[in-house]
Amino acid sequence: LGCEGQPSDILGNMMLPTVLRKRCHIRKGLIGIIALGVGYAIFRFEENSHVAEKITRVNSRMPPPCICCGGFYHAQGMDGPLKRGVGVRGMRSIIASRGGSNNVELGDYIHEEKVGDVKVYMLRDGSIEIPLSRMFPSIESSEWKPFQRIQQDQIARLSSGCVLLQVASEDNQTVNMLLDSGLGVVDPPFPPSVDLRDVLFKAAEISREDIHMVVHTHVHQDHTGWNVYRDADGSIKPMFPNAMHCVQAKEYDFWGASSELRKRTNFDVKLKPLQDRNMIRMLNGRETLAPGVEVLPCEGHTPGHMVVRISSLGATGYYIGDALHHLAQITNPNWSPVFDWDAPLAERSRKELMTRIANENALLFSPHFPFPGSGTISETSQGFRYDWVKSTG
């Protein structure tokens, strides 16, 4: 731009009032400010383009607004925990701001235990918040008073995540088994706090391709989330391409029986693509999946719910899935959340499971108890008691 005369045609005369065009030094200053503004706008555009490219390339699995967690919000006619329309924007903010969780202290999402020679990694990917009056509608608010130490208000705050087992096979090779798969980022019921792939690498230096087996205690959406991801072209792909996904046949058949049930579990996104690729193994009752790792039916929460028993060198542990959700159920096993499919059956299964854990002096691993969700259960004359344990890892 020249010092005398009119501004150049690049900006046009309308960019400066007439009075300012008479003062060269004022015009220079204002033009400099405009140039800086244009430069900053270009910088922000390029920066946002870079973020958008990163979101597409690294984390291209944007969810639509939150719908339900295993269908219980939908089944009860409730709104989800997120406002309508927040899901996509919220997830983009998490991923863009964290850069795929690179800036998150991942140690806060990992806890290591051992059951004999079996390494057990408790992995958290987020949290779930539900009003107690909705989760346990038959329980009066006054009945929660004994649990004020762990329940400060009328909101149930549940951890969410999964467990990684590292087991030695018969030929002494390490088998990486994932027990459930958390929230995920394709249509997640609640937005995750971290990327599970980052957590896996931080915990055990493994990638998603290193997972050999995924064991689903049941197929509610907060337990099948990381099964898949959305590719850059929008297609659904297996997150763990070398893994067989294990589920009880009656569980799979029940949730796939109608369009309504399929919708509640997002069946056609989280499970059907795996079945189409022959990546699902149907189980029938109690089965051994690896040395020292077996599944046991524990029905009631869902028709085909199961737990995972781990045994090695005389030590035992149980991954309980959703047999229990809240610590209050330890002393009140008759308290069933609204999303238990068959509450009386769930109560019987819960009591039997806790008795088994207590009698075997086993560790309990829960994806929903306050993280890390590992402890022991003892049975007394007054009922069941839960105790936290220090890490055995």
Side-chain angles (χ1 to χ4, degrees):
L1 298 177
C3 183
E4 300 295 336
Q6 303 299 318
S8 77
D9 291 337
I10 296 176
L11 295 180
N13 289 339
M14 289 187 296
M15 297 301 294
L16 294 173
T18 302
V19 67
L20 292 181
R21 281 185 261 121
K22 296 179 181 179
R23 299 286 299 272
C24 178
H25 66 281
I26 294 177
R27 185 167 73 248
K28 279 186 173 181
L30 188 55
I31 290 172
I33 292 173
I34 293 172
L36 286 173
V38 172
Y40 179 74
I42 294 172
F43 166 78
R44 291 297 297 167
F45 175 80
E46 291 179 346
E47 180 184 49
N48 289 336
S49 298
H50 171 72
V51 171
E53 180 185 3
K54 184 174 184 180
I55 291 173
T56 301
R57 184 178 68 253
V58 182
N59 295 286
S60 56
R61 306 165 305 285
M62 298 299 101
C66 175
I67 46 175
C68 64
C69 179
F72 64 80
Y73 276 109
H74 179 76
Q76 298 302 317
M78 305 175 187
D79 290 330
L82 300 178
K83 301 293 185 183
R84 289 186 181 274
V86 171
V88 174
R89 191 176 299 113
M91 273 306 302
R92 281 181 178 148
S93 297
I94 289 172
I95 291 173
S97 65
R98 298 185 190 280
S101 73
N102 289 332
N103 297 325
V104 177
E105 180 51 62
L106 294 177
D108 296 339
Y109 294 81
I110 301 165
H111 180 80
E112 184 179 351
E113 298 278 358
K114 289 195 75 173
V115 176
D117 279 342
V118 177
K119 289 184 178 181
V120 181
Y121 296 94
M122 305 295 293
L123 308 177
R124 183 166 70 95
D125 68 350
S127 59
I128 298 171
E129 295 189 359
I130 309 169
L132 288 173
S133 60
R134 291 186 173 184
M135 185 173 175
F136 295 95
S138 64
I139 308 302
E140 298 292 334
S141 58
S142 59
E143 297 185 68
W144 289 99
K145 288 184 178 179
F147 306 99
Q148 288 180 349
R149 186 169 63 87
I150 60 171
Q151 185 64 59
Q152 299 296 325
D153 49 30
Q154 293 299 305
I155 301 295
R157 292 179 172 83
L158 310 180
S159 182
S160 176
C162 52
V163 167
L164 170 67
L165 300 183
Q166 291 192 313
V167 186
S169 66
E170 294 180 353
D171 57 356
N172 207 32
Q173 299 296 311
T174 298
V175 179
N176 295 312
M177 305 176 66
L178 205 59
L179 309 184
D180 287 329
S181 63
L183 296 169
V185 284
V186 176
D187 308 340
F190 295 80
S193 302
V194 292
D195 191 318
L196 183 62
R197 294 167 297 178
D198 295 336
V199 177
L200 285 170
F201 187 80
K202 175 72 173 181
E205 296 188 351
I206 62 173
S207 69
R208 64 189 183 94
E209 291 85 1
D210 296 321
I211 298 297
H212 303 109
M213 187 180 298
V214 181
V215 183
H216 293 297
T217 57
H218 61 300
V219 299
H220 281 171
Q221 290 190 54
D222 57 325
H223 293 258
T224 61
W226 291 97
N227 280 5
V228 297
Y229 70 98
R230 203 179 299 278
D231 207 350
D233 62 1
S235 60
I236 295 296
K237 299 291 182 64
M239 179 65 78
F240 311 107
N242 300 314
M244 186 64 69
H245 295 66
C246 301
V247 61
Q248 289 287 336
K250 64 164 55 177
E251 178 79 358
Y252 187 93
D253 292 343
F254 175 83
W255 293 107
S258 71
S259 59
E260 174 65 16
L261 293 173
R262 297 170 83 93
K263 179 180 178 181
R264 285 170 58 183
T265 52
N266 210 356
F267 190 95
D268 293 333
V269 173
K270 305 296 179 66
L271 296 167
K272 185 63 164 54
L274 303 178
Q275 177 70 342
D276 291 344
R277 293 173 169 83
N278 297 315
M279 294 176 66
I280 288 185
R281 172 182 169 184
M282 301 295 182
L283 306 177
N284 292 286
R286 185 169 184 169
E287 291 194 30
T288 297
L289 303 181
V293 180
E294 60 178 337
V295 296
L296 289 74
C298 187
E299 298 165 357
H301 178 60
T302 62
H305 186 275
M306 62 183 178
V307 298
V308 181
R309 184 178 184 271
I310 309 152
S311 59
S312 173
L313 302 179
T316 308
Y318 282 84
Y319 175 71
I320 66 170
D322 280 8
L324 295 94
H325 293 79
H326 197 287
L327 284 172
Q329 292 177 282
I330 298 286
T331 53
N332 298 276
N334 58 311
W335 289 11
S336 281
V338 68
F339 32 83
D340 275 351
W341 167 71
D342 185 329
L345 178 57
E347 177 185 345
R348 291 196 301 273
S349 294
R350 195 156 38 243
K351 290 177 178 177
E352 292 173 1
L353 175 62
M354 288 196 290
T355 297
R356 177 189 289 270
I357 292 174
N359 290 344
E360 296 182 19
N361 194 28
L363 286 173
L364 175 153
F365 304 115
S366 166
H368 292 313
F369 283 2
F371 191 77
S374 54
T376 61
I377 288 180
S378 55
E379 193 168 7
T380 70
S381 59
Q382 297 180 336
F384 293 100
R385 171 189 171 92
Y386 181 83
D387 290 291
W388 301 101
V389 296
K390 293 182 179 180
S391 176
T392 58

